[in-house]
């Protein structure tokens, strides 16, 4: 017998569980006795309608692998449960390509709360499930009746058709018992969710977790680490106003999350709230009042929910290993969050770092700073890290991250504190718990993992996953044949290689190479990575590309070579390097003459040296027959004249008017240059 906390009884419950297309199945009752199973004419199985059961609207997965169906019976409010065990798990996904299946795990939170006798909001068992079928924008009863006939009341819920989306979302709700205000949730609840996803992973296209907002970002962060090699969409959402109230934000959040979970493959743990779909481990709850209660301060939302739903595929963080989905449920509870404040006492720090503490997120000022004049604190932190406690430095600021630019920050690194970069404290804390739970990793590996980007949770500048772009774009363009993927790769890889070149990231270039990227590939302007590297003047990357066979002779749409880019930058070291690799001047000598003369007229000493290093003849005339020496003399650039003479240019060439450089110097009455040129032309007179 069970009564709701407001004293009334709900006569309904559970059971539209997704036991679909399971080939052979036995059901067992509470005493583990076998009962018959139900099977409908649509190839779906769910509990056989029974006269006794008034409604069947959810299911609970148990740790022993059984599924528990709890029902209330008309008339006497008695609650009964039955257990079912799948003997063989077939592929339970729908065979209908116009549908997708989403499992909704309802853990509690405001979304399903009602006011109790004390007029405060608290979770209300069965209330949400009971009402969902009544909301026409959340359940299409006509479709359900057509599809499931008499069994429609017990069948999964059906989201009405959504214009612009390919699939109709069919969803089943699993309600947790007890339902929790998220402030009451703990590590064990995260484990329960993770295990439930694991258990039903093969049966659904996507997963939606209804959750209270208060600790939602902690759960999202924890799950992002616990769900390893995730290949399906997992979304967590909730609301600020219960779904039963007129102004609820719950329906919009719930509906948008269902649409995304059923129609988009975003293999991440995401948070859907307000107008944004965000990477879960990047989110923070930023408002106790606003409906837009969550933010992702250091990374843009994966999708924006407006009149249309726009997913930015480039932002999806995909697992890069060929490994099966698995769940890591061992989390270490000996972690803590210590917020530094002015005049914090040594006693506080000491107490916090005492055993059994194994990992601490230190919330520091600004870009990761602590009072560096507090030797007592520093010594304590140093002692803790040398005892093997992992201390991660995260900022107290609402956005940005740790960046050791101050002495007050670098002191932490010196005491063995590691950087949390731009991780949220929720992500850092749950990651620490996850990493410490990896018994197979030695301490050094655990520390390295804390600083590595493993689920898109931090930006360290060390790890990137751009190579997934080809896959992401292929999906969005619905390209699947190997030929199409190859073509796409040929288009995208140059862009990715060029991005790596711009970042000066050799490691990333190595990774791209290992993924089959052609480092010599050209972009739409026919520019190679080498040209970009020369343009930005990164000697090391130029050398790397040359050693990896990128041609120095490649020309872009404007016929420019890498050497020309290096000349434009007056990067003499790169010019020498390119020349060692067989590079040479290209283009018409007339044009070269123009360039040389233009540089000479402006007194660009360095530019002429660039041309010289590139093998240009500094006596090359322009179309009017004037050489750089003519222009240097005409414009009175004495040093340049000396430089040109030193580099053995022709001294007495005449232009189309029959004038020599000396004539120009005399016409402009530049006595110093006249003297220099005269002496060079008539050395005997010296
Ligand atoms: N909006 C909410 O869901 C807040 C509620 N206290 C919870 O976290 O469960």
């Amino acid at each position: 017998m069970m009564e709701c906390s407001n004293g009334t009884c709900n006569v309904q419950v559970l059971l539209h569980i997704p036991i679909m297309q399971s080939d052979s199945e036995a059901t067992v009752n509470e005493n583990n006795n076998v009962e018959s199973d139900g099977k409908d004419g649509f190839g779906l199985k769910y509990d056989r309608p029974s006269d006794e059961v008034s409604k069947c609207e959810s299911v609970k997965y148990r740790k022993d692998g059984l599924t528990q169906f709890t029902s209330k019976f008309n008339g006497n409010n008695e609650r009964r449960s039955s257990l079912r065990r799948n003997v063989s798990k077939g592929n339970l996904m729908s065979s209908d390509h116009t549908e997708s299946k989403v499992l909704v795990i309802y853990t509690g939170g405001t979304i399903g709360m009602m006011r109790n006798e004390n007029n405060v909001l608290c979770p209300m068992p069965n209330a949400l499930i009971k009402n969902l079928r009544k909301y026409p924008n959340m359940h299409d009863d006509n479709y359900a009746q057509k599809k499931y006939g008499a069994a429609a009341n017990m069948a999964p819920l059906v989201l009405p058709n959504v214009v612009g989306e390919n699939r109709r979302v069919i969803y089943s709700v699993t309600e947790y018992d007890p339902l929790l205000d998220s402030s009451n949730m703990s590590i064990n609840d995260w484990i329960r969710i993770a295990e439930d996803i694991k258990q039903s992973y093969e049966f659904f296209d996507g997963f939606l977790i209804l959750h209270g907002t208060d600790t939602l970002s902690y759960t999202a962060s924890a799950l992002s680490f616990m769900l390893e090699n995730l290949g399906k969409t997992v979304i967590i959402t909730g609301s600020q106003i219960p779904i039963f109230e007129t102004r609820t934000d719950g329906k919009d959040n719930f509906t948008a999350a269902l649409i995304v979970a059923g129609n988009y493959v975003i293999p991440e743990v995401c948070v859907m709230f307000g107008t944004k779909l965000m990477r879960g481990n990047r989110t923070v709850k930023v408002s106790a009042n606003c409906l837009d209660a969550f933010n992702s301060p250091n990374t843009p939302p994966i999708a924006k929910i407006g009149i249309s739903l726009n997913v930015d595929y480039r932002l999806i963080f995909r697992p890069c290993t060929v490994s099966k989905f698995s769940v890591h449920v061992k989390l270490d509870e000996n972690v803590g969050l210590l917020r530094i404040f002015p005049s914090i006492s040594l006693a506080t720090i000491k107490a916090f770092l005492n055993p059994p503490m194994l990992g601490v997120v230190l919330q520091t000022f600004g870009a990761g700073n602590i009072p560096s004049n507090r030797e007592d604190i520093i010594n304590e932190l140093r002692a803790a890290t040398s005892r093997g406690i992992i201390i991660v430095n995260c900022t107290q600021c609402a956005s940005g991250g740790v960046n050791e630019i101050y002495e007050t920050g670098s002191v932490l690194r010196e005491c063995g504190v590691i950087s949390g970069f731009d991780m949220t404290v929720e992500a850092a804390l749950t990651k620490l718990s996850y990493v410490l739970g990896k018994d197979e990793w030695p301490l050094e590996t655990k520390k390295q993992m804390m600083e590595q980007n493993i689920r898109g949770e931090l930006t360290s500048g060390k790890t990137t996953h751009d190579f997934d772009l080809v896959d992401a774009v292929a999906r969005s363009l619905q390209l699947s044949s190997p030929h199409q993927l190859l073509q796409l790769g040929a288009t995208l890889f140059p862009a990715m290689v060029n991005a790596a070149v711009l970042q000066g990231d050799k490691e990333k270039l190595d990774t791209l190479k290992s993924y089959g990227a052609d480092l010599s590939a050209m972009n739409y302007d026919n520019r190679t990575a080498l040209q970009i590297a020369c343009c930005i003047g990164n000697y090391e990357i130029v050398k790397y590309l040359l050693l990896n066979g990128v041609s120095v002779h490649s020309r872009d749409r404007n016929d420019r070579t890498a050497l020309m880019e290096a000349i434009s930058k007056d990067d003499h070291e790169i010019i020498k390097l390119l020349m060692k690799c067989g590079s040479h001047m290209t283009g018409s000598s007339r044009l070269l003459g123009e360039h040389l003369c233009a540089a000479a007229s402006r007194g660009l000493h360095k530019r002429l040296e660039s041309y010289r290093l590139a093998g240009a003849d500094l006596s090359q005339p322009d179309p009017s027959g004037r050489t750089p020496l003519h222009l240097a003399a005409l414009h009175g650039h004495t040093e340049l004249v000396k430089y040109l003479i030193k580099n053995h240019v022709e001294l007495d060439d005449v232009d189309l008017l029959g004038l020599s450089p000396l004539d120009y110097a005399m016409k402009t009455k530049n006595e110093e240059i006249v003297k220099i040129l005269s002496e060079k032309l008539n050395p005997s007179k010296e």
Side-chain angles (χ1 to χ4, degrees):
M1 185 80 150
M2 188 183 147
E3 278 204 341
C4 300
S5 46
N6 61 4
T8 62
C9 288
N10 284 319
V11 184
Q12 70 6 260
V13 176
L14 323 181
L15 288 196
H16 53 75
I17 203 8
I19 302 181
M20 305 163 192
Q21 299 176 0
S22 177
D23 294 336
S24 109
E25 175 187 85
T27 54
V28 284
N29 64 19
E30 279 168 301
N31 304 318
N32 271 5
N33 296 323
V34 177
E35 292 174 349
S36 64
D37 59 352
K39 191 170 189 177
D40 80 340
F42 301 92
L44 304 178
K45 281 183 179 180
Y46 33 79
D47 277 37
R48 187 181 297 283
S50 151
D51 289 343
E52 292 178 307
V53 180
S54 61
K55 282 184 185 171
C56 312
E57 302 196 20
S58 94
V59 168
K60 292 183 181 74
Y61 298 108
R62 298 181 358 158
K63 283 199 176 131
D64 55 11
L66 298 176
T67 308
Q68 178 177 348
F69 300 86
T70 310
S71 323
K72 282 191 179 175
F73 292 81
N74 279 332
N76 59 5
N77 294 329
E78 189 186 341
R79 175 172 267 238
R80 289 192 194 166
S81 295
S82 72
L83 299 176
R84 172 178 295 212
R85 175 182 282 123
N86 286 335
V87 175
S88 95
K89 268 190 191 173
N91 173 12
L92 306 190
M93 303 288 291
S94 168
S95 55
D96 186 341
H97 71 278
T98 62
E99 291 181 354
S100 64
K101 306 237 168 293
V102 173
L103 176 64
V104 178
I105 297 174
Y106 171 35
T107 68
T110 298
I111 192 161
M113 286 189 187
M114 283 179 170
R115 293 196 183 272
N116 69 6
E117 58 276 14
N118 299 323
N119 200 28
V120 292
L121 286 169
C122 65
M124 200 61 64
N126 308 319
L128 178 82
I129 292 175
K130 186 178 166 187
N131 279 282
L132 282 176
R133 283 184 198 276
K134 294 188 202 151
Y135 299 141
N137 54 349
M138 300 222 64
H139 178 61
D140 183 344
D141 201 44
N142 283 341
Y143 188 90
Q145 292 290 345
K146 267 192 217 142
K147 187 171 171 86
Y148 304 115
N153 272 357
M154 290 168 294
L157 289 125
V158 179
L159 193 69
N161 215 14
V162 179
V163 179
E165 301 300 346
N166 290 334
R167 289 164 185 266
R168 182 185 282 273
V169 179
I170 310 291
Y171 63 107
S172 304
V173 183
T174 289
E175 180 173 307
Y176 277 8
D177 182 15
L179 287 171
L180 292 173
D181 184 302
S182 71
S183 300
N184 287 328
M185 289 180 81
S186 67
I187 283 183
N188 288 338
D189 298 296
W190 305 340
I191 294 172
R192 183 180 181 189
I193 298 169
E195 283 184 334
D196 284 350
I197 290 175
K198 181 182 164 195
Q199 204 182 356
S200 44
Y201 192 72
E202 290 174 20
F203 311 139
F204 294 91
D205 299 284
F207 298 86
L208 200 165
I209 300 155
L210 293 178
H211 199 287
T213 57
D214 289 347
T215 64
L216 190 150
S217 289
Y218 287 93
T219 304
S221 300
L223 288 175
S224 78
F225 301 116
M226 296 164 79
L227 306 182
E228 298 176 337
N229 305 303
L230 181 64
K232 297 187 180 184
T233 312
V234 175
I235 301 179
I236 312 187
T237 193
S239 74
Q240 295 280 67
I241 305 175
I243 202 160
F244 318 112
E245 295 189 18
T246 311
R247 283 189 59 242
T248 184
D249 53 330
K251 275 188 204 158
D252 285 350
N253 290 343
F254 195 173
T255 311
L258 280 171
I259 293 167
V260 175
N263 282 283
Y264 298 82
V265 181
I266 302 175
E268 296 207 44
V269 176
C270 309
V271 169
M272 170 73 76
F273 223 91
T275 54
K276 296 175 291 222
L277 178 80
M278 297 157 277
R279 178 170 305 141
N281 58 33
R282 290 290 196 154
T283 60
V284 280
K285 184 172 179 182
V286 290
S287 174
N289 293 322
C290 293
L291 300 185
D292 246 328
F294 286 84
N295 203 1
S296 164
N298 290 324
T299 197
I302 294 170
K304 289 193 182 137
I305 323 295
I307 288 176
S308 57
L309 198 155
N310 296 316
V311 178
D312 189 341
Y313 290 90
R314 292 165 308 161
L315 297 173
I316 299 173
F317 189 92
R318 295 168 190 279
C320 299
T321 52
V322 186
S323 313
K324 265 192 156 179
F325 169 68
S326 62
V327 169
H328 177 86
V329 290
K330 189 162 188 300
L331 299 179
D332 200 308
E333 293 185 4
N334 298 313
V335 292
L337 191 54
L338 177 59
R339 189 178 169 100
I340 296 288
F341 52 89
S343 291
I344 187 169
S345 75
L346 178 62
T348 304
I349 304 242
K350 257 193 168 149
F352 203 85
L353 296 172
N354 268 343
M357 194 60 88
L358 291 175
V360 172
V361 176
L362 197 66
Q363 262 198 292
T364 53
F365 307 131
N369 307 317
I370 57 155
S372 60
N373 54 3
R374 287 285 304 275
E375 232 173 272
D376 53 344
I377 295 182
I378 291 165
N379 288 340
E380 203 51 49
L381 292 172
R382 187 178 291 115
T385 58
S386 45
R387 287 200 303 274
I389 297 181
I390 301 179
I391 306 182
V392 185
N393 185 6
C394 285
T395 179
Q396 298 179 5
C397 295
S399 64
V402 168
N403 190 357
E404 287 152 29
I405 49 173
Y406 297 99
E407 185 242 337
T408 45
S410 64
V411 74
L412 282 173
R413 169 75 61 183
E414 284 151 28
C415 0
V417 173
I418 59 178
S419 177
F421 298 98
D422 57 352
M423 264 192 290
T424 62
V425 288
E426 289 88 339
L429 191 77
T430 53
K431 185 177 179 183
L432 205 44
S433 192
Y434 165 82
V435 162
L436 286 166
K438 289 273 184 184
D439 295 334
E440 65 274 28
W441 290 347
L443 181 63
E444 244 349 274
T445 309
K446 287 176 180 164
K447 283 193 197 167
Q448 278 169 13
M449 294 309 280
M450 281 310 297
E451 288 200 307
Q452 244 178 55
N453 179 15
I454 60 174
R455 301 281 193 277
E457 75 282 7
L458 62 81
T459 321
S460 70
K462 284 182 189 160
T463 321
T464 52
H465 290 263
D466 285 1
F467 41 79
D468 293 321
L469 190 63
V470 175
D471 188 39
V473 175
R475 278 176 208 254
S476 71
L477 298 177
Q478 299 184 343
L479 304 178
S480 55
S481 79
H483 178 67
Q484 287 172 319
L485 285 176
L486 216 66
Q487 274 189 328
L488 190 62
T491 311
L492 294 175
F493 273 135
M496 290 188 281
V497 168
N498 288 349
V501 165
L502 279 172
Q503 290 157 6
D505 192 339
K506 273 201 258 180
E507 258 176 53
K508 189 168 165 187
L509 286 168
D510 272 330
T511 312
L512 286 167
K513 205 169 63 153
S514 72
Y515 271 75
D518 174 11
L519 297 184
S520 299
M522 296 171 174
N523 69 7
Y524 282 116
D525 274 324
N526 291 353
R527 281 160 77 77
T528 63
L530 183 66
Q531 285 168 279
I532 309 281
C534 290
C535 219
I536 58 169
N538 189 328
Y539 182 92
E540 285 307 315
I541 296 288
V542 170
K543 194 166 155 194
Y544 172 94
L545 292 169
L546 291 175
L547 290 173
N548 279 282
V550 182
S551 172
V552 290
H553 302 297
S554 182
R555 293 185 214 184
D556 69 13
R557 207 174 283 286
N558 297 317
D559 227 23
R560 288 173 69 80
T561 60
L563 185 59
M564 289 185 189
E565 300 295 354
I567 291 171
S568 297
K569 297 294 287 183
D570 292 318
D571 195 320
H572 294 171
E573 292 313 306
I574 290 181
I575 293 170
K576 284 186 218 164
L577 185 62
L578 293 171
M579 295 303 286
K580 268 195 205 160
C581 230
S583 190
H584 56 80
M585 293 295 301
T586 51
S588 77
S589 50
R590 207 180 141 111
L591 192 66
L592 174 62
E594 271 181 34
H595 286 312
L596 289 170
C597 289
S601 66
R602 293 163 62 203
L604 298 179
H605 201 124
K606 214 172 167 191
R607 177 61 47 87
L608 285 161
E609 176 65 0
S610 297
Y611 277 114
R612 187 190 73 79
L613 290 170
D617 176 3
L618 297 185
S619 300
Q620 186 68 46
D622 70 8
S624 52
R626 293 184 298 183
T627 66
L629 189 58
H630 283 89
L631 275 302
L634 172 63
H635 292 280
H637 298 307
T638 312
E639 289 310 309
L640 197 54
V641 168
K642 287 184 193 164
Y643 164 84
L644 289 167
I645 292 170
K646 199 171 127 215
N647 281 292
H648 316 292
V649 295
E650 296 293 338
L651 298 180
D652 50 4
D653 276 359
V654 290
D655 65 14
L656 291 181
L657 298 172
L659 299 172
S660 69
L662 179 60
D663 294 329
Y664 276 95
M666 287 184 354
K667 277 181 182 293
T668 55
K669 300 189 174 55
N670 190 318
E671 284 173 18
E672 194 182 0
I673 294 176
V674 168
K675 187 165 173 260
I676 293 166
L677 287 172
S678 303
E679 283 171 0
K680 276 289 164 194
L681 285 164
N682 305 294
S684 55
K685 288 183 185 170
E686 278 178 33

